């Protein structure tokens, strides 16, 4: 079964700008470009000049929330092990791997330690056999450096990336915000932003020791990106990511005790935010993900310190990330490296690129379509976004998973 | 009393313009004339409270709920007395006896209190921002009696009233606040109140108990108490919570006393007529020595308690004026 998508602006690998052209899909895979001339048979679909980009691979979500993913153009989501119960057994990986099929593929991430308690290694080899593509420490740091070292040795031998949360738990104990004028004014327990650099520095030292691939899921400070930049120039196998919230908001957003802006790691100062934007620009940051974590009023309509951290981010991920293109921080080609290509590469799946032989996961986008973020009208399971009321541009008009429209 | 009322109406805009706020959630954001108006209004109640019959009937028939989600003896008592002297029916709700322990959310509690048709709710809660959260859900005025480390506005007002009565004008005075500033809502409200009224505020604390970016609050930050005291007109000591004394933040009570305790010798470093204050309850021998606390030439500590009742009477009066249909307060 062949499908030809004509009149599209294709976001191709290693091209900064979209290229006019057609795309051929054979079954559930992209066919080679050479076949483009040979358009005998098959169905032709006119894309009407829309942007055709690889489907978003959302690395590190906390819930499989299909309506939000569909709205946001997410075709694959890597599910964090912080579930109830924790994804620390092979059976749970197997169960969650089929959760969204066929239109959404979920890649459950194996818990690094039993119960994510940071004390005993989980059965990551068996979980890999059940389909886990990566291992994660969850929402917390592993404080015991001995466990961390053995974990990395293990991950290295299994060729699995370890996705880590970078906040030194001793420094952040009890904190719900970053040290600064806003936290002091609100009287919120806060911690130094240096908690991130402390954690990253240790993990880089252990990467140097073991050679394991560590992905720092969210890097949010100038010192944090600085350490990773240096590690990359030393050819160490490290990658890192960020969410649009940390690129677009500073800690002022928590003023008035806005629990929708309570995130983990917490929002940082404006200086740190700008350093992160710079790190996206210079290539230090590899991934932009949503950290999608829909939370209802029972978790968010509480005093700030008692509210759960996290935001519903999947449906705003593309539109918010597009502001980086409009602000001329990055090109469209680079944007989809961050949203699709790099996360797929970290997971080791043949997806995230418009490339022959790869899974035909792609989206059509009207990148100028204006809309307004509205917590009351979200597709997500809950509307906890700190961007309520923000006018944005860019909307997914069609989503294809494995060559089929959904 | 009547003449004072005339004086206050001459000084401040008539009617609700003098205090155009529905709730009293904090001092931050209040204008100096609004704070001065509250203080001016409180003075009549100081006079009343010194008479043998202490009853005003302004709040007759109104219900005031004191909802205390955090243990308190003094503030609760002070609000209860204030409400009763104004003629209101006062009901106290203690968290220990409430359904909060049964897992009810704060919002549900707020909705329940609202359904009971209170005319004012006084709230204390251990979490910063909790009082505002409730205030957004109820139809009556809400008074913040302390939320987490955020604000304790009536404490700052009673402190300002005490200073005003003992020192006259607050503007131009040098006030030193010393103690656990990081965890203190009293310190925050006092910093806002005193800087707004034009005092020079110094803040002194062990480095482990100074909140981030405090120097951006229009105050001078010290870690050496002796330096901070020099030239001070008012010395305001904060209570050191016992759970902070065990080595997490400071090594021991005796080391704290050595570095930050207000002793007679230290007090000599301040101005000769310096006023000593403490929000209570005091840890005698830790943050303040008894002979300083009990020295009536300097200490205003019991007077603070007295001013507390008057300030709270004024706040209850002013915030309920609209619902009582007082002329000009629509």
């Amino acid at each position: 079964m062949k499908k030809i998508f004509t009149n599209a602006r294709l976001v191709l690998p290693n091209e900064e700008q979209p290229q006019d052209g057609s795309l051929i899909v054979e079954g559930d895979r992209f066919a080679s470009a050479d076949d483009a001339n040979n358009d005998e048979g098959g169905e032709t679909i006119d894309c009407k000049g829309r942007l055709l980009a690889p489907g978003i691979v959302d690395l590190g979500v906390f819930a499989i929330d299909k309506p939000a993913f569909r709205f946001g153009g997410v075709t694959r989501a890597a599910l964090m092990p912080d579930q109830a119960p924790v994804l620390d057994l092979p059976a749970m990986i197997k169960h969650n791997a089929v959760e969204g099929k066929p239109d959404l593929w979920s890649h459950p991430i194996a818990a690094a330690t039993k119960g994510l308690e940071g004390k005993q290694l989980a059965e990551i080899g068996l979980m890999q056999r059940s389909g886990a593509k990566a291992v994660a420490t969850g929402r917390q740091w592993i404080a015991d450096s001995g466990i961390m070292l053995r974990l990395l040795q293990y991950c290295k031998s299994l060729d699995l990336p370890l996705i880590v949360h970078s906040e030194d738990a001793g420094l952040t104990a009890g904190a719900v915000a970053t040290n600064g004028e806003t936290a002091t004014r609100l009287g919120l327990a806060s911690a130094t932003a240096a908690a991130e650099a402390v954690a990253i520095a240790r993990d880089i030292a252990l990467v140097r020791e073991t050679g394991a691939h560590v992905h720092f899921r969210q890097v949010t400070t100038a010192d944090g990106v600085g350490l990773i930049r240096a590690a990359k120039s030393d050819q160490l196998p490290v990658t890192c990511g960020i969410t649009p919230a940390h690129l677009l908001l500073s800690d002022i957003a928590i003023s008035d005790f806005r629990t929708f802006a309570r995130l983990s790691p917490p929002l940082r100062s404006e200086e740190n935010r700008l350093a992160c934007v710079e790190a996206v620009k210079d290539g230090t940051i590899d991934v932009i993900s949503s950290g999608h974590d829909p939370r209802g009023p029972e978790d968010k309509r509480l005093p700030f310190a008692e509210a759960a951290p996290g935001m519903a981010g999947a449906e705003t991920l593309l539109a918010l990330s597009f502001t980086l293109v409009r602000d001329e921080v990055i090109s469209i080609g680079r944007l989809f490296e961050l949203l699709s290509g790099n996360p797929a590469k970290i997971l080791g799946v043949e997806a995230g690129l418009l490339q022959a032989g790869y899974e035909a996961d792609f989206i059509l986008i009207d990148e100028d379509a204006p809309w307004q973020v509205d917590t009351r009208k979200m597709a997500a399971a809950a509307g906890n976004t700190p961007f309520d009321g923000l006018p944005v541009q860019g909307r997914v008009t069609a989503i294809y998973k494995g060559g089929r429209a959904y | 009393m009547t003449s004072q009322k005339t004086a206050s109406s001459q000084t401040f805009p008539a009617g609700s313009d003098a205090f155009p706020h529905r709730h009293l959630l904090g001092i931050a954001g209040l204008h100096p004339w609004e704070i001065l108006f509250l203080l001016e209004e409180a003075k009549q109640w100081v006079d009343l409270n010194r008479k043998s019959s202490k009853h005003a009937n302004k709040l007759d028939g109104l219900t005031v709920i004191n909802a205390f989600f955090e243990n308190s003896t003094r503030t609760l008592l002070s609000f209860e007395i204030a409400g009763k002297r104004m003629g209101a029916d006062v009901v106290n709700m203690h968290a220990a006896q409430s359904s909060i322990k049964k897992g009810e959310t704060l919002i549900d509690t707020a909705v329940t209190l609202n359904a009971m048709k209170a005319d004012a709710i006084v709230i204390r809660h251990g979490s910063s921002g909790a009082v505002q959260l409730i205030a957004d859900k109820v139809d009556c005025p809400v008074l913040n009696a302390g939320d987490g480390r955020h604000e304790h506005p009536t404490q700052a007002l009673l402190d300002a009233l005490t200073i005003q009565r003992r020192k006259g004008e607050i503007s131009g005075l040098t006030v030193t606040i010393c103690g656990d500033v990081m965890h203190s809502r009293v310190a925050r409200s006092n910093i806002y109140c005193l800087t707004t009224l034009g005092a020079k505020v110094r803040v002194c604390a062990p480095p482990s108990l100074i909140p981030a970016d405090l120097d951006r609050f229009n105050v001078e930050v010290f870690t050496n108490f002796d330096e901070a005291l020099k030239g001070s007109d008012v010395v305001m000591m904060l209570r050191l919570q016992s759970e902070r004394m065990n080595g997490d933040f400071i090594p021991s009570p005796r080391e704290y006393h050595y570095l930050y305790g207000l002793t007679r010798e230290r007090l000599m470093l301040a101005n000769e007529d310096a006023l000593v204050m403490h929000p209570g309850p005091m840890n005698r021998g830790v943050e303040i020595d008894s002979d300083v606390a009990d020295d009536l030439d300097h200490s205003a500590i019991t007077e603070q308690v007295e001013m507390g009742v008057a300030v709270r009477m004024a706040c209850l009066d002013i915030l309920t004026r609209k619902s009582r249909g007082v002329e000009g307060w629509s």
Side-chain angles (χ1 to χ4, degrees):
Chain A
M1 182 61 199
K2 185 152 116 184
K3 285 180 191 154
I4 305 160
F5 295 84
T6 59
N7 193 18
R9 290 157 51 234
L10 305 170
V11 181
L12 296 168
N14 305 315
E15 295 283 355
E16 295 223 326
Q17 296 308 322
Q19 310 288 312
D20 292 340
S22 304
L23 184 91
I24 301 185
V25 174
E26 287 270 11
D28 61 356
R29 302 265 160 170
F30 294 121
S32 93
D34 300 339
D35 296 349
N37 305 320
N38 153 29
D39 59 347
E40 64 195 49
E43 185 188 347
T44 302
I45 293 136
D46 182 358
C47 299
K48 294 174 183 157
R50 292 247 195 273
L51 199 63
L52 193 160
I56 293 173
V57 181
D58 200 348
L59 185 60
V61 301
F62 291 89
I64 296 298
D65 185 359
K66 284 172 75 170
F69 292 152
R70 167 188 289 263
F71 187 99
V74 175
T75 49
R76 290 172 187 255
L79 180 67
M80 290 296 283
D82 312 64
Q83 307 294 320
V86 170
L87 306 184
D88 60 358
L89 288 172
M92 293 180 201
I93 299 294
K94 206 170 254 174
H95 170 76
N96 279 285
V98 295
E99 187 82 333
K101 284 187 176 178
D103 50 327
L104 171 87
W105 279 23
S106 141
H107 297 292
I109 304 171
T113 57
K114 287 176 187 157
L116 287 173
E117 286 173 358
K119 294 183 182 129
Q120 295 168 293
L121 298 180
E123 296 167 328
I124 55 182
L126 291 174
M127 288 191 275
Q128 184 182 33
R129 192 178 65 180
S130 294
K133 307 283 187 200
V135 180
T137 64
R139 280 198 189 87
Q140 53 274 311
W141 194 58
I142 292 182
D144 184 330
S145 304
I147 289 284
M148 188 64 180
L149 173 67
R150 291 188 283 279
L151 179 62
L152 286 168
Q153 291 166 332
Y154 222 82
C155 288
K156 168 71 180 167
S157 73
L158 295 167
D159 199 21
L160 281 170
L162 178 66
I163 299 172
V164 300
H165 181 93
S166 305
E167 281 186 291
D168 179 294
L171 288 170
T172 57
V176 297
T178 307
N179 275 355
E181 186 180 342
T182 303
T184 297
R185 209 168 271 287
L186 296 175
L188 294 172
S190 60
T192 168
E196 178 173 291
V198 170
I200 290 175
R202 182 202 68 176
D203 289 349
I204 286 175
L206 296 177
V207 167
R208 209 179 282 279
E209 172 83 14
T210 58
H213 174 190
V214 165
H215 175 71
F216 299 94
R217 190 168 64 89
Q218 288 173 289
V219 190
T220 59
T221 64
D223 290 346
V225 293
L227 287 165
I228 291 168
R229 192 176 285 129
K232 284 185 161 188
S233 74
D234 287 354
Q235 311 297 320
L236 293 178
V238 292
T239 52
C240 65
I242 194 165
T243 65
H246 287 98
L247 287 172
L248 298 173
L249 300 175
S250 68
D251 61 351
I252 292 173
I254 66 170
S255 296
D256 234 5
F257 301 101
R258 290 180 61 211
T259 58
F260 284 2
R262 180 168 176 208
L263 305 174
S264 168
L267 290 170
R268 307 299 193 186
S269 66
E270 183 66 5
E271 293 75 25
N272 280 316
R273 181 186 79 82
L274 293 171
C276 291
V277 172
E278 192 54 39
V280 168
K281 189 174 184 175
D282 73 10
T284 304
I285 290 179
D286 306 277
V287 172
I288 301 180
S289 62
S290 72
H292 190 65
D293 195 1
R295 296 277 185 170
E298 67 283 5
D299 289 327
K300 284 292 190 183
R301 222 163 59 172
L302 294 169
F304 192 89
E306 293 161 33
M311 65 172 279
E315 63 199 277
T316 52
L317 175 61
L318 179 66
L320 293 173
S321 302
F322 244 111
T323 60
L324 297 169
V325 175
R326 285 201 190 84
D327 294 349
E328 296 173 359
V329 176
I330 52 172
S331 65
I332 288 189
R334 168 88 173 120
L335 174 65
F336 284 93
E337 274 176 36
L338 290 157
L339 290 172
S340 312
N342 289 339
K345 199 165 147 191
I346 290 166
L347 291 169
V349 292
E350 289 187 338
L353 297 176
L354 303 185
Q355 182 167 303
Y358 271 41
E359 185 91 10
D361 305 344
F362 59 95
I363 49 181
L364 293 176
I365 302 162
D366 178 353
E367 73 259 47
D368 294 324
W371 57 287
Q372 190 170 20
V373 182
D374 184 341
T375 61
R376 292 159 305 176
K377 292 182 191 160
M378 302 263 285
N384 52 312
T385 171
F387 295 100
D388 186 30
L390 188 74
V392 291
Q393 272 179 285
R395 202 161 185 158
V396 174
T397 58
I399 185 161
Y400 289 81
K401 174 76 196 73
R404 287 185 57 177
Y406 288 99
Chain B
M1 215 167 85
T2 10
S3 64
Q4 267 186 353
K5 287 217 73 169
T6 322
S8 82
S9 60
Q10 280 167 357
T11 316
F12 307 98
S16 58
D17 291 344
F19 195 79
H21 306 280
R22 200 160 106 84
H23 308 294
L24 180 67
L25 301 180
I27 301 292
L30 294 185
H31 292 293
W33 58 86
E34 292 166 352
I35 297 172
L36 290 172
F37 173 71
L38 291 173
L39 300 181
E40 196 60 39
E41 286 282 322
K43 286 176 183 164
Q44 60 188 303
W45 307 120
V46 178
D47 297 339
L48 178 81
N49 288 338
R50 287 182 175 178
K51 292 181 181 160
S52 57
S53 170
K54 306 174 180 62
H55 205 71
N57 55 6
K58 285 198 167 196
L59 267 61
D60 268 357
L62 267 57
T63 305
V64 175
I65 300 181
N66 292 324
F68 277 55
F69 299 89
E70 189 183 74
N71 283 333
S72 158
T73 311
R74 300 160 154 259
T75 308
L76 176 59
L77 203 55
S78 182
F79 267 108
E80 184 174 357
I81 290 170
K84 285 181 170 162
R85 286 195 184 152
M86 294 302 279
D89 298 317
V90 181
V91 186
N92 295 334
M93 189 197 88
H94 302 272
Q97 300 152 12
S98 80
S99 48
I100 294 300
K101 295 272 172 198
K102 299 174 197 157
E104 183 178 78
T105 68
L106 193 58
I107 297 284
D108 289 338
T109 308
V111 169
T112 304
L113 293 180
N114 195 46
M116 292 177 186
K117 308 289 176 214
D119 298 287
I121 305 179
V122 178
I123 302 166
R124 166 168 289 195
H125 196 285
S127 215
S128 302
V131 176
Q132 183 181 318
L133 192 67
I134 297 177
D136 292 343
K137 295 287 163 203
V138 298
D139 301 317
C140 67
V142 167
L143 280 88
N144 183 358
D147 64 323
R149 313 169 178 185
H150 179 225
E151 284 242 35
H152 191 355
T154 56
Q155 178 73 41
L157 292 170
L158 74 87
D159 287 339
L161 184 59
T162 307
I163 298 171
Q164 218 183 36
R165 288 172 62 96
R166 290 282 282 256
K167 292 279 184 187
E169 186 97 4
I170 288 175
S171 177
L173 292 177
T174 298
V175 181
T176 296
I177 301 174
C178 177
D180 180 0
V181 180
M182 176 182 279
H183 300 100
S184 176
R185 54 193 173 215
V186 174
R188 283 175 179 74
S189 289
N190 263 309
I191 288 170
Y192 299 135
C193 185
L194 294 166
T195 54
T196 303
L197 295 179
K200 290 196 267 299
V201 177
R202 296 173 177 176
V203 176
C204 178
S208 55
L209 292 172
I210 296 177
D213 289 350
L214 190 61
D215 51 334
R216 295 171 79 155
F217 288 69
N218 198 15
V219 297
E220 230 185 315
V221 182
F222 292 78
T223 50
N224 182 315
F225 195 20
D226 293 351
E227 290 301 316
L229 281 171
K230 285 173 194 162
S232 293
D233 298 300
V234 178
V235 185
M236 202 179 266
M237 301 305 293
L238 300 173
R239 175 178 167 78
L240 184 69
Q241 301 289 340
S242 56
E243 65 264 29
R244 318 261 185 243
M245 300 181 197
N246 58 9
D248 281 357
F249 288 90
I250 58 149
S252 68
R254 66 177 187 173
E255 174 154 320
Y256 187 84
H257 179 260
Y258 165 65
L259 291 170
Y260 298 100
L262 187 61
T263 59
R264 171 70 59 187
E265 277 170 289
R266 274 223 170 88
L267 183 57
M268 308 286 259
L269 296 169
N271 285 348
E272 207 179 333
D273 57 350
L275 196 63
V276 173
M277 302 173 75
H278 192 297
M282 289 180 277
N283 294 301
R284 289 171 180 265
V286 182
E287 71 258 8
I288 190 165
D289 278 1
S290 282
D291 72 325
V292 177
D294 300 334
D295 176 356
L296 293 180
D297 290 338
H298 290 284
S299 171
I301 295 171
T302 49
E303 197 173 330
Q304 286 174 272
V305 180
E306 184 189 352
M307 295 307 123
V309 177
V311 156
R312 287 164 184 136
M313 289 168 80
C315 291
L316 286 169
D317 168 25
I318 291 160
L319 290 174
T320 56
R321 281 184 189 175
K322 190 181 166 191
S323 65
R324 288 186 284 125
V326 174
E327 199 188 337
W329 288 77
S330 55

